[in-house]
Amino acid sequence: CTSVVAEDDKGNLFHGRNLDFGLFLGWDVKNKSWTVSEKLKPLVVNLDFRRNNQTVFKSTNFAGYVGMLTGIKPHVFTLTMNERFSLDGGYIGILEWILGQRDGMWMSFLTRSVLENANSYEEAKTRLAQTKMLAPAYFILGGNSTGQGCIITRSRLLSLDVLEIDLKLGRWYVLETNYDHWKEPLFLDDRRTPAMKCMNQTTQPKMSLKTMYDVLSTKPVLNKLTTYTTLMQVSEGSLEAYIRDCPNPCMPW
Amino acid sequence: SAQFIPPFTEDCRADMYPPNGPTFRAAVGWYTVDLDLPPSKRWTAVITEKKTDLANMIEAIKDLANAFVPSGRLIELVDIALPLMVNTLPDPFGEEIKGIAAASGLPLGEVVLFNIFYEVFTV
């Protein structure tokens, strides 16, 4: 996965993501593609969650999956999550759950309840950072005011780090793949460097949904695992999504 | 230009938007989920239209599971144990998952597996 929250020089916030999934879940030799990733693509849907005939939040989802991986609360915040690998992983949380220790939250149920119930960027950030979880994760959160963009690096119990946009430091975007931002990514899977190169080449004045889509379309940020790209603009309350393909040559991950 | 050895990095793309060309397969359609409905009814419209694709995806995962455990015991475990787990899931998720299983006709355990796959995948 790759998620970005960026602020242009007029203070507009854009949030984009590639949802990559299906690694090692069966390689289709003939079509040079991952089996489960290809089976997920027809399931990609955009959802308008409504209460009292009003939109509460919108999401890009896989039909049948009740949790949230990508969503926007129009004019309030935007949220995506990326997978985080850790030895202290979800299987420990599941074991605890089976043994009756049920004070943790399933990852995508947490994001769903935040999108449904949080009413501000700060409230969403607090809940994502402080709620005990069954599995580690990265939460990438965008708000509706200048500087409101962050990456929350979560272990199952703790919030290890919150990296925020800081225009004074020249950090006009935050970008997350699947590795802690204070460490080098796995050398076999460095999507961060090419993604940041393209963001820096775009420059802050030219940031838009269009140029963000360009960044997310550049290999290996786009790879064989990429099922969809979603672009969100909180001030417009807009969410749009596109199912992707990666023509050869293309990285398997 | 692109390098033809992994990781196949290429020059930063431009003018990809509006989405077009070989990296764009399709736009994504819209559905409404009415939160005023009972949880078990919220996903019926989506699932009615997508149940064949959902069944195909779950079949692919079952094929994979059977490749690892040919005896089929793993699938049996999913179909027997995970329905018991659905009642431990917080509201409204357990009820929504039951509604999806009913609307799709798929075994409840396999729909539960799909919904907790993030935690399971770490295994």
Side-chain angles (χ1 to χ4, degrees), chain A:
Chain A
C1 290
T2 299
S3 287
V4 189
V5 177
E7 181 171 342
D8 72 5
D9 56 351
K10 300 179 198 58
N12 294 307
L13 285 163
F14 302 96
H15 193 152
R17 74 104 93 250
N18 274 358
L19 191 297
D20 303 355
F21 192 76
L23 185 63
F24 302 138
L25 294 182
W27 177 257
D28 179 343
V29 174
K30 186 162 88 46
N31 297 308
K32 292 192 176 65
S33 61
W34 296 105
T35 306
V36 171
S37 308
E38 290 306 307
K39 296 291 183 189
L40 281 171
K41 289 179 183 179
L43 287 173
V44 179
V45 288
N46 285 331
L47 298 173
D48 183 2
F49 286 82
R50 300 172 72 84
R51 185 183 289 127
N52 301 323
N53 221 15
Q54 297 281 319
T55 294
V56 178
F57 68 97
K58 294 186 277 190
S59 165
T60 301
N61 230 11
F62 295 115
Y65 192 77
V66 299
M68 297 299 129
L69 307 175
T70 304
I72 180 171
K73 195 159 193 133
H75 314 293
V76 186
F77 62 86
T78 52
L79 173 62
T80 56
M81 75 72 55
N82 291 12
E83 180 174 13
R84 183 170 183 263
F85 310 111
S86 165
L87 278 178
D88 181 12
Y91 59 99
I92 294 177
I94 288 178
L95 206 56
E96 287 178 351
W97 187 275
I98 290 171
L99 296 173
Q101 189 179 328
R102 300 190 182 142
D103 55 349
M105 207 72 182
W106 300 80
M107 179 280 298
S108 65
F109 296 166
L110 174 58
T111 48
R112 160 87 180 260
S113 69
V114 166
L115 278 162
E116 203 163 321
N117 304 310
N119 293 302
S120 71
Y121 169 80
E122 291 302 333
E123 183 186 345
K125 185 164 67 167
T126 302
R127 292 182 61 173
L128 292 166
Q130 296 181 4
T131 305
K132 182 184 175 187
M133 298 170 64
L134 269 70
Y138 299 104
F139 295 124
I140 300 90
L141 183 67
N144 60 12
S145 304
T146 180
Q148 289 188 337
C150 68
I151 299 167
I152 302 168
T153 300
R154 282 295 315 261
S155 70
R156 293 191 315 114
L157 303 178
L158 299 172
S159 179
L160 302 179
D161 181 83
V162 179
L163 178 70
E164 301 235 56
I165 283 177
D166 190 333
L167 298 179
K168 288 197 276 308
L169 294 177
R171 192 166 48 232
W172 57 278
Y173 68 87
V174 288
L175 185 145
E176 178 59 52
T177 55
N178 298 97
Y179 302 95
D180 296 347
H181 70 76
W182 59 90
K183 299 174 191 170
E184 282 302 310
L186 183 66
F187 74 99
L188 280 176
D189 181 24
D190 182 4
R191 286 162 283 124
R192 182 197 297 169
T193 304
M196 292 182 75
K197 185 189 110 188
C198 293
M199 287 295 286
N200 297 335
Q201 193 170 304
T202 300
T203 71
Q204 185 183 19
K206 290 203 178 66
M207 181 42 50
S208 65
L209 291 181
K210 171 184 177 305
T211 52
M212 186 168 278
Y213 186 80
D214 289 338
V215 172
L216 295 171
S217 298
T218 302
K219 297 172 190 175
V221 179
L222 179 75
N223 55 72
K224 288 287 186 184
L225 290 169
T226 307
T227 55
Y228 66 80
T229 296
T230 292
L231 305 168
M232 299 178 281
Q233 186 170 353
V234 69
S235 57
E236 300 296 322
S238 67
L239 175 145
E240 54 193 270
Y242 305 99
I243 298 172
R244 308 305 305 268
D245 276 323
C246 193
N248 296 314
C250 179
M251 206 51 190
W253 51 74

Side-chain angles (χ1 to χ4, degrees), chain B residues 13-68:
Chain B
R13 303 305 302 266
D15 301 319
M16 299 293 281
Y17 190 94
N20 59 88
T23 66
F24 165 64
R25 178 179 297 186
V28 173
W30 279 93
Y31 296 82
T32 295
V33 175
D34 185 350
L35 295 174
D36 293 320
L37 288 176
S40 60
K41 301 294 181 202
R42 290 173 183 170
W43 296 90
T44 305
V46 178
I47 296 304
T48 303
E49 199 158 316
K50 289 287 185 182
K51 63 186 171 185
T52 306
D53 297 315
L54 184 58
N56 289 343
M57 193 278 294
I58 287 187
E59 198 57 36
I61 291 183
K62 283 167 78 171
D63 291 344
L64 201 60
N66 282 334
F68 281 100

